[in-house]
Amino acid sequence: MSWRFRSPVTAVVALAVMTSAIFTGAGAAQADTAPPSASTPKTVAADALPTAQINGVVWSQAIVGNTVYVGGEFTRARPAGAAAGTSEVSRNNLMAYNLSTGVMTSFNPSVNGVVRAITASPDGSRIYVGGGFSTVGGVSRSRLAAFSTASGALLSDWTPTANGTVRALGTFGSTVYAGGSFTSASGQSRQKAASFSASTGALGTWKGTIPDGAVNALTISPNGDRVVIGGSFTSYNGARAPGYGMAATNSSTGAAVAWNIGKLIKNAGPNGAILSLTSDADGVYGTGYDFGAGAMFEGTFRASWSSGNTVWIEDCHGDTYSAVPVGDVVYTTAHAHFCGNIGGFPETTPRSYHRTLTFSKAATCTITRNVTGGSYFNFEGRPCPTLLAFYPDINTGTYTGQGQGPWNLAANSQYVLYGGEFTIVNNKRQQGLTRFAVSSIAPDKEGPKATGTSFRPTLSIPSANSVKVTWKSNYDRDNEQLTYQVLRNGVVVRTQTGLSVDWRRPTLSWTDTGRSGGTTYTYQVRATDPFGNTVTGSSASIRATGAANKTTPDQTVIPGAPAQAPDATLTPDIAPVPDVAPLPDVVPEPGVQQEPGTKPVPDDAPAPLPEVPAA
């Protein structure tokens, strides 16, 4: 439970070169750009690729061929590397850039209000956008518009309207589906959900009874027979289980159909919502937030298309804004501060955040009992995915005043794109947009991060004629397994591997035997990732003792060394967990106090614009 917000709509394994060694390490590797096991999912590389920038916030992205369409709240855009206020051009709330190069295109429709949603036609010939705008390039368009992807032109023959903000869009066949906070579409009653002809814009038959809240997200089944919606609404067609924050609907009529995970996860009302829904042939992936009474879920879920049964849940604490499946990996963006229930990072003081979480698509573990208190629901015993090693650093921005960074994701088989209000990525200035790519087309230059005195060994004398070298593991943004070389007087005398991430850095050690008493030795440790990126830490020296001094107690030379830590325990690979049977209704716990130190932020729904008649 954390900030309430303005609703957004996303190895080298070397053999030892020395004997007579003692090694302390970690267990089996999980995942990264070069996992040791072929069965482990690969993530994209953590190198932030040069990408066009904006001066506000990005709420939505859509990839069409080699073009990325970007919608949000911004007025200017600039090239990668340009400082804010320099090399800028006008781009009002909607722009595009080249997926392969990150270079901005000439697409410049000039939308006069926020763009919340973008989707493409199945053939990629046009994009549909939704939001809170009333004109596009000076031409009347009430919260909905369509553009040719070939020419970038606003389409004059697609002019449906909505009387409130459109927050979600999807297409299938000849139909466009829309969700939001509107109560009428093209002059007819439509409560938060409506459909339109993809070619003419004529109002369709898909609709439902949604008396409150808003539809923030929707996704369509692979065969087009169902539309799943999510948001802050508290009932759908009079039902609340499911219907409270989520519902699955018949794509023609809007009638409710089975959606069993909606009987478990119940986020709606003023203190919670489902924020995003995406899907593929393997299921639906949803995210949400909880700020108190009436809600109970933060994190990501995967549900099957078969009746919406639960496949897995990751209940990392901290609002999760967007998720996208790519192959056998699911990327999310959040401000997660605790993933301890699934074997991930612990809560820290002061609180620290991971905004770029990544999970296996398969269920691989079981959620442990929640012990953090507050309003967090206990999902103990339910299946969960594996948290994977992909941790680029993205900061918080200031545009919305909500202390957030990325808000949404888009991806294809080669690229993963983050959009939001951040201003720094991997310690370099980059505002609002960033790209990451699979290893085969990425620079693969993100290496071990700890340097200098923060990566200096501690030396001790455990017995005569020996020196024990102990060091805290280094860490890498996209590789969990690193190779370590111990250097004695500048010469490599030991090579071994270890597993680590930024939040779990086990202590490693090796005992160098056969040293001469009375001789001073200098040691360093070098860390190398699977792509040859290397860091050599600061040196430490010690004088070895001989046989006559073999009863001398251990002599530790470097003060403040990390204590010897036990091997890290990692979740073993297990067979994927099948669909879970429908679960009993779960009622959100009432009367939960909001998290201390947080302050609700009003919703950003703009004042209703006058209804614009269809042309």
Side-chain angles (χ1 to χ4, degrees):
M1 176 176 66
S2 34
W3 295 99
R4 184 184 172 205
F5 47 86
R6 303 194 299 176
S7 301
V9 213
T10 345
V12 179
V13 180
L15 297 175
V17 295
M18 290 288 289
T19 57
S20 303
I22 301 172
F23 165 56
T24 301
Q30 291 181 7
D32 47 34
T33 51
S37 170
S39 63
T40 302
K42 288 185 179 181
T43 65
V44 293
D47 307 82
L49 305 178
T51 309
Q53 306 177 76
I54 52 89
N55 68 342
V57 59
V58 172
W59 293 124
S60 182
Q61 302 175 86
I63 301 172
V64 183
N66 199 43
T67 301
V68 182
Y69 293 92
V70 177
E73 295 174 77
F74 49 84
T75 59
R76 313 287 288 177
R78 63 189 189 274
T86 67
S87 303
E88 289 185 338
V89 295
S90 175
R91 290 292 188 274
N92 290 307
N93 305 311
L94 186 61
M95 61 163 286
Y97 70 85
N98 183 288
L99 175 62
S100 301
T101 66
V103 175
M104 191 187 330
T105 73
S106 60
F107 181 65
N108 185 21
S110 190
V111 180
N112 78 332
V114 60
V115 172
R116 284 287 189 176
I118 308 174
T119 192
S121 61
D123 64 0
S125 66
R126 57 176 63 187
I127 60 166
Y128 303 91
V129 302
F133 51 86
S134 60
T135 66
V136 177
V139 178
S140 177
R141 286 293 186 275
S142 181
R143 298 161 177 107
L144 288 161
F147 300 86
S148 164
T149 56
S151 66
L154 175 69
L155 297 179
S156 60
D157 58 353
W158 202 80
T159 58
T161 66
N163 73 338
T165 302
V166 173
R167 298 176 179 273
L169 289 170
T171 60
F172 188 90
S174 60
T175 304
V176 177
Y177 297 89
S181 54
F182 52 85
T183 57
S184 73
S186 295
Q188 296 187 37
S189 176
R190 290 291 187 274
Q191 293 185 338
K192 320 298 192 297
S195 64
F196 307 92
S197 166
S199 57
T200 68
L203 187 66
T205 57
W206 181 72
K207 61 182 179 179
T209 302
I210 308 174
D212 58 3
V215 172
N216 295 327
L218 64 82
T219 195
I220 305 163
S221 61
N223 64 1
D225 67 335
R226 282 162 290 170
V227 179
V228 180
I229 61 173
S232 57
F233 52 89
T234 60
S235 68
Y236 183 78
N237 287 354
R240 291 166 57 93
Y244 188 89
M246 273 195 291
T249 73
N250 178 285
S251 61
S252 296
T253 66
V257 297
W259 188 245
N260 289 322
I261 198 167
K263 299 177 183 179
L264 170 65
I265 292 177
K266 302 178 80 64
N267 273 23
N271 294 323
I274 297 300
L275 297 177
S276 77
L277 293 167
T278 52
S279 62
D280 59 13
D282 297 323
V284 176
Y285 310 84
T287 68
Y289 89 98
D290 158 22
F291 196 70
M296 45 76 80
F297 173 68
E298 293 180 340
T300 309
F301 67 79
R302 174 184 166 191
S304 73
W305 279 115
S306 175
S307 299
N309 290 334
T310 303
V311 178
W312 54 248
I313 293 170
E314 63 85 1
D315 66 338
C316 294
H317 299 347
D319 306 338
T320 302
Y321 308 117
S322 183
V324 60
V326 182
D328 51 5
V329 173
V330 178
Y331 296 90
T332 75
T333 188
H335 69 258
H337 48 86
F338 172 76
C339 281
N341 296 338
I342 64 168
F345 47 86
E347 190 78 48
T348 61
T349 304
R351 179 170 284 177
S352 56
Y353 297 91
H354 285 80
R355 296 184 172 86
T356 56
L357 298 186
T358 310
F359 301 92
S360 63
K361 183 186 284 189
T364 56
C365 59
T366 301
I367 299 175
T368 61
R369 185 170 185 80
N370 182 63
V371 295
T372 59
S375 66
Y376 295 113
F377 184 77
N378 180 30
F379 290 100
E380 180 183 10
R382 300 183 185 275
C384 58
T386 296
L387 180 63
L388 306 181
F390 176 66
Y391 296 109
D393 293 322
I394 302 182
N395 77 331
T396 58
T398 60
Y399 184 83
T400 67
Q402 298 174 74
Q404 305 306 323
W407 285 99
N408 69 90
L409 280 164
N412 65 10
S413 61
Q414 291 188 305
Y415 292 92
V416 175
L417 317 174
Y418 290 81
E421 60 182 298
F422 50 85
T423 59
I424 297 174
V425 181
N426 289 350
N427 300 323
K428 294 182 180 179
R429 294 193 179 277
Q430 177 66 33
Q431 188 172 4
L433 293 163
T434 192
R435 298 178 298 146
F436 301 93
V438 294
S439 180
S440 60
I441 58 175
D444 287 322
K445 295 299 183 184
E446 281 292 332
K449 295 303 166 191
T451 61
T453 56
S454 65
F455 188 45
R456 181 172 60 181
T458 297
L459 309 178
S460 61
I461 306 296
S463 61
N465 306 110
S466 66
V467 175
K468 185 176 183 180
V469 185
T470 302
W471 67 96
K472 187 177 183 179
S473 297
N474 214 302
Y475 69 98
D476 188 297
R477 291 185 175 121
D478 56 11
N479 292 119
E480 201 173 12
Q481 181 163 269
L482 301 178
T483 297
Y484 297 94
Q485 293 177 319
V486 178
L487 287 73
R488 183 205 314 130
N489 298 337
V491 177
V492 176
V493 292
R494 167 70 176 174
T495 302
Q496 63 191 51
T497 59
L499 303 175
S500 59
V501 287
D502 65 337
W503 48 272
R504 184 183 59 228
R505 297 171 59 188
T507 297
L508 307 178
S509 65
W510 171 68
T511 299
D512 188 10
T513 60
R515 299 304 93 221
S516 300
T519 300
T520 297
Y521 297 94
T522 299
Y523 293 87
Q524 291 173 282
V525 177
R526 176 182 296 153
T528 305
D529 74 5
F531 298 94
N533 300 301
T534 296
V535 164
T536 303
S538 296
S539 62
S541 299
I542 196 170
R543 185 175 181 178
T545 60
N549 299 318
K550 62 184 179 181
T551 59
T552 303
D554 285 7
Q555 176 188 359
T556 301
V557 173
I558 304 301
Q564 184 77 11
D567 291 358
T569 300
L570 301 180
T571 304
D573 291 333
I574 60 173
V577 178
D579 287 350
V580 176
L583 300 163
D585 190 7
V586 175
V587 179
E589 185 177 350
V592 179
Q593 296 298 312
Q594 295 178 347
E595 182 174 320
T598 62
K599 180 179 180 181
V601 179
D603 189 77
D604 74 329
L609 297 170
E611 179 72 7
V612 180

